[in-house]
Amino acid sequence: MFKRSLLWVLMVCLLIQGVFVPRANAETAYDDVKGHWASEQIQFLTERGVYKGNGTRHFYPNKPITRGEALALVNRVFEAVYGPLAAPEEKAYLDHRYPLRKEIEALTANLQVLLDVQTGFVNEYRPGDKILYYLHLASQGQLMKTPQKELVDWWVPAQYLQYPLSREEASMILFHVLAPYKMRSMNVKPQDVAPFFAGYHGWKQPSGYPDTASPYAGAIREFRLFSETRLFNPYKNMTRAEFAAVLKRLYDFYADDAAKQFRESQQRQQKAVNLLLTAANHAYRTKNGKWLDAYLSKPAQESIAKIALPLHDYRVALTLRKDDTDKNKLWVAAAYVDPKVGNYELEYLLEPGEGNPFGRKVTSIRFIQK
């Protein structure tokens, strides 16, 4: 019993040492990545706060990445680009003893909002929950696909999250992360979302690789997160360096995709504005000055403070209108309901600005009572 407790303490200390320690100077954070093939990717992510330095000055690039750390890092990449979209929601199936629990719960919350925004409606499907469910199945020696009868009483203990992450498991996680981007070009209806995922969860989609029947790796091939090879090697554990390379490509996809959305169709622009305002609203509610400044000018922040109402609700419809005198200006209107105020409308002015991935900032907010 004592040995088991000691082992648990050592595992937690190693995890905190590698992930939680306050960020060191980016140029000298890790001694053991100098000359390593992934040194540039690790350096890039460290500078953006995805990796937060290490008190021992070691990154351990050739050690396996664990499942729990991988989930937390994926969320950090997402928030490094967009900022948080929603507050974490406590999950009963997730072991409360696991140090990175809150970051994993933040990932599930962000994925839910992202799916809702990209499809245009609130979904009953929970991609974050499914990620943990399939990791639970894999830990039980089962295939990561929906069985005929889904389990009701299941949970993910800290031990499962300390297991090394296989390439197949990584592809499953990234599939759920990127599925909203795959779906946004489709004419998706509310009833289409669950069947879309079911086709992959039941492994009814083609694999794309001869050495695995799992469709997840093939499903995200278009995003080029993994190096292109004929075989996928699904059961091979990923090292910390290999996963860093994947995270760098994921970061690049997020940043490149966001930057071009205001040059595309009006429907795509509506989704971009919704995501922008959702991130700004969360920053406003949580008083996160960094992201508030990234999305709202000082005058816009003063305006919303005077109004003393939520900045945005991503479930409402947005109306976009170009300015007649300046093509760089975009007007956005949205109607809201508040128990105390009743029906009202907010009109936002978006102009080119730095500090966020969209290259647009809210510079004016006007309140209209209805």
Side-chain angles (χ1 to χ4, degrees):
M1 185 68 180
F2 175 76
K3 290 183 178 179
R4 183 179 300 176
S5 300
L6 180 61
L7 179 61
W8 167 251
V9 171
L10 290 174
M11 290 171 67
V12 171
C13 289
L14 181 60
L15 177 64
I16 293 175
Q17 186 182 62
V19 184
F20 269 174
V21 175
R23 182 179 173 181
N25 182 284
E27 294 183 358
T28 59
Y30 310 110
D31 290 337
D32 59 349
V33 299
K34 294 176 181 178
H36 194 280
W37 66 266
S39 60
E40 290 186 10
Q41 293 93 326
I42 295 168
Q43 173 78 10
F44 180 92
L45 295 170
T46 300
E47 290 173 354
R48 284 152 185 81
V50 176
Y51 295 111
K52 303 188 184 255
N54 188 308
T56 65
R57 299 174 63 85
H58 284 74
F59 184 81
Y60 304 106
N62 300 319
K63 285 190 174 182
I65 187 81
T66 66
R67 294 163 161 184
E69 186 181 6
L71 291 170
L73 291 171
V74 167
N75 188 62
R76 290 183 193 175
V77 167
F78 181 87
E79 292 190 356
V81 178
Y82 293 111
L85 300 181
E89 295 182 4
E90 186 171 330
K91 301 294 184 181
Y93 58 73
L94 199 55
D95 194 334
H96 71 277
R97 298 170 298 177
Y98 187 65
L100 299 180
R101 171 184 176 139
K102 287 297 181 184
E103 293 195 71
I104 296 174
E105 290 172 341
L107 175 64
T108 66
N110 286 328
L111 290 184
Q112 193 62 49
V113 174
L114 183 64
L115 178 63
D116 291 348
V117 169
Q118 295 290 12
T119 55
F121 41 79
V122 177
N123 294 273
E124 294 182 1
Y125 184 84
R126 297 287 180 264
D129 292 352
K130 287 296 184 182
I131 288 174
L132 274 298
Y133 179 66
Y134 292 125
L135 288 179
H136 166 82
L137 292 181
S139 302
Q140 298 294 311
Q142 302 180 47
L143 294 175
M144 288 188 302
K145 65 178 182 179
T146 304
Q148 290 184 347
K149 184 177 181 180
E150 289 204 40
L151 302 176
V152 176
D153 187 17
W154 64 278
W155 82 305
V156 181
Q159 178 186 3
Y160 289 4
L161 295 170
Q162 295 285 7
Y163 287 172
L165 181 78
S166 72
R167 287 170 59 86
E168 184 174 76
E169 291 164 353
S171 68
M172 180 274 294
I173 292 169
L174 293 165
F175 164 76
H176 287 84
V177 169
L178 294 167
Y181 296 94
K182 290 176 65 69
M183 299 174 68
R184 69 183 177 187
S185 60
M186 309 174 187
N187 184 23
V188 179
K189 297 179 176 59
Q191 63 269 24
D192 296 334
V193 176
F196 170 84
F197 283 100
Y200 291 95
H201 295 161
W203 290 17
K204 296 177 182 178
Q205 296 289 340
S207 162
Y209 291 94
D211 59 342
T212 177
S214 170
Y216 301 120
I220 60 172
R221 206 168 191 168
E222 63 191 274
F223 300 99
R224 300 182 179 180
L225 301 184
F226 294 88
S227 299
E228 189 61 33
T229 56
R230 190 180 75 86
L231 300 178
F232 187 68
N233 297 311
Y235 306 118
K236 181 178 180 291
N237 291 333
M238 297 200 73
T239 66
R240 292 170 56 81
E242 289 169 342
F243 198 68
V246 170
L247 291 176
K248 171 59 166 61
R249 295 175 193 132
L250 179 64
Y251 183 102
D252 290 343
F253 166 75
Y254 282 148
D256 293 345
D257 181 76
K260 68 184 181 183
Q261 288 193 52
F262 281 99
R263 301 193 299 269
E264 299 188 356
S265 67
Q266 186 173 46
Q267 183 183 36
R268 185 66 62 83
Q269 291 184 49
Q270 284 180 320
K271 293 176 180 179
V273 171
N274 202 347
L275 205 58
L276 185 158
L277 292 177
T278 299
N281 181 62
H282 185 71
Y284 172 65
R285 291 180 58 223
T286 58
K287 296 180 172 59
N288 187 322
K290 170 190 171 183
W291 286 106
L292 202 55
D293 290 340
Y295 285 113
L296 270 68
S297 68
K298 291 299 183 183
Q301 292 181 40
E302 293 170 2
S303 296
I304 196 63
K306 290 177 182 177
I307 296 169
L309 288 168
L311 176 65
H312 179 59
D313 182 340
Y314 70 84
R315 294 168 291 186
V316 307
L318 299 172
T319 302
L320 276 57
R321 174 175 61 85
K322 290 185 178 180
D323 190 275
D324 295 333
T325 60
D326 189 341
K327 65 179 182 179
N328 290 319
K329 294 182 177 181
L330 181 67
W331 294 92
V332 180
Y336 305 95
V337 179
D338 183 82
K340 297 180 180 180
V341 178
N343 295 324
Y344 67 96
E345 184 176 287
L346 291 181
E347 187 176 58
Y348 314 91
L349 174 60
L350 273 66
E351 298 185 77
E354 298 179 351
N356 70 69
F358 298 101
R360 293 266 183 166
K361 183 174 287 190
V362 178
T363 58
S364 175
I365 303 174
R366 188 161 69 101
F367 173 83
I368 305 169
Q369 184 72 61
K370 292 293 185 179

